Amino acid sequence: MDKVLSFHQGRLPLLISMPHAGLTLTPAVEAGLVDEARSLPDTDWHIPQLYDFARELGASVVAAEYSRFVIDLNRPDDDKPLYVGATTGLYPATLFDGEPLFKEGQVPSADERATYLEKIWRPYHGTLRQELDRLRAEFGYALLWDAHSIRSLIPHLFEGKLPDFNLGTFNGASCDPALAERLKAVCADAPAYSHVLNGRFKGGHITRYYGDPANHVHAVQLELAQSTYMEEVEPFAYREDLARPTQEVLQRLLASVLEWGKGRYGK
């Protein structure tokens, strides 16, 4: 495989994960996609650009290079469903609107997918584990922010328009409740945006698996409505006029995460 991820090691106890930002396809996936999928519509578009302040902030950052159409890094390796109802799996078979992702007879083979698991999924999760362990060893705790985005209107997945900021803590299991309440307060202080905690998106595999408050690892997923920073239709253009105020809220959220950690652990 080519480069499967990018990683930057920061100086603070915060790791930002971007598992669905990748655009690279394998030859088998690219050859098999239906025409409607070739623009990669279900990508978490522009997330590295939206969080371009993270390195200066001092956070560690890991971002996927391969598209979720190859393998979904936010699903468990046993492909156990995370949500009740319509969802996508470790090897997505449908687009978010429910239509088939691959042409008939052109789904990647089991051997190809086994390679994706070993060469893409495992390195990403190995990086997450290694960095979280490093942070916890250095600071006594680690903070994980799983950064996502999605179209605000997808009737196949959820009713109505999605709130702008969708915070997920696996119903309180992945981080200290006081941290979740602090994040809700930050969102409430941004009245131009709507928000919810543990609504349709409660946190995927990364939040659920790595969040371990009893062992001082606190994980939060943010599923951000793409209407807050970009055009939701092809060519999915980044909108600086929309993104700038959204970034300000993101910066306040991450600053609040760090302030909470310092207050809770003393460093």
Side-chain angles (χ1 to χ4, degrees):
M1 310 296 297
D2 295 327
K3 179 182 177 185
V4 299
L5 60 86
S6 62
F7 175 66
H8 167 78
Q9 188 174 98
R11 64 181 187 276
L12 297 176
L14 172 63
L15 172 60
I16 301 175
S17 164
M18 304 176 181
H20 293 156
L23 300 174
T24 303
L25 299 173
T26 64
V29 170
E30 185 171 16
L33 290 178
V34 298
D35 290 343
E36 294 79 5
R38 295 196 172 279
S39 64
L40 309 183
D42 299 341
T43 300
D44 289 11
W45 287 101
H46 310 298
I47 285 293
Q49 182 175 358
L50 189 66
Y51 284 84
D52 63 3
F53 59 87
R55 293 189 181 194
E56 183 176 348
L57 177 68
S60 297
V61 181
V62 58
E65 293 289 335
Y66 276 84
S67 168
R68 68 186 302 164
F69 288 169
V70 176
I71 189 168
D72 192 330
L73 302 177
N74 202 27
R75 297 294 184 269
D77 57 1
D78 63 3
D79 205 14
K80 183 178 179 179
L82 296 177
Y83 293 99
V84 176
T87 187
T88 56
L90 180 65
Y91 305 106
T94 64
L95 292 161
F96 282 170
D97 62 9
E99 295 301 314
L101 181 59
F102 293 100
K103 302 170 187 173
E104 187 173 353
Q106 295 193 42
V107 174
S109 70
D111 285 346
E112 287 165 333
R113 286 179 163 176
T115 299
Y116 306 160
L117 183 66
E118 292 300 320
K119 301 297 187 181
I120 301 174
W121 192 97
R122 296 207 188 283
Y124 192 89
H125 285 269
T127 302
L128 286 178
R129 179 80 278 162
Q130 183 175 16
E131 182 62 3
L132 290 172
D133 287 348
R134 184 191 72 84
L135 294 176
R136 192 169 58 168
E138 179 174 345
F139 297 96
Y141 68 104
L143 305 165
L144 174 61
W145 185 268
D146 205 36
H148 296 262
S149 72
I150 194 169
R151 296 195 308 276
S152 60
L153 292 166
I154 306 180
H156 183 68
L157 295 184
F158 49 82
E159 294 183 3
K161 188 177 187 293
L162 195 69
D164 296 320
F165 285 77
N166 299 267
L167 297 164
T169 64
F170 194 27
N171 292 325
S174 70
C175 79
D176 190 291
L179 174 55
E181 288 303 313
R182 181 179 286 237
L183 296 174
K184 284 176 60 181
V186 172
C187 289
D189 284 340
Y193 300 95
S194 56
H195 71 278
V196 68
L197 174 65
N198 293 316
R200 171 61 177 82
F201 297 98
K202 304 177 189 299
H205 173 67
I206 290 171
T207 305
R208 301 180 192 199
Y209 182 79
Y210 295 100
D212 187 2
N215 287 302
H216 314 298
V217 179
H218 303 270
V220 177
Q221 176 177 297
L222 176 62
E223 191 79 60
L224 186 65
Q226 290 178 342
S227 57
T228 63
Y229 71 93
M230 59 172 278
E231 296 291 348
E232 296 189 317
V233 296
E234 197 174 346
F236 310 115
Y238 189 80
R239 287 273 304 274
E240 185 65 37
D241 58 320
L242 296 176
R244 195 176 304 111
T246 301
Q247 283 182 310
E248 292 174 2
V249 181
L250 291 173
Q251 288 174 305
R252 292 199 295 271
L253 284 167
L254 293 178
S256 184
V257 169
L258 289 165
E259 289 166 5
W260 177 85
K262 189 173 183 179
R264 171 69 172 80
Y265 293 97
K267 59 179 179 177

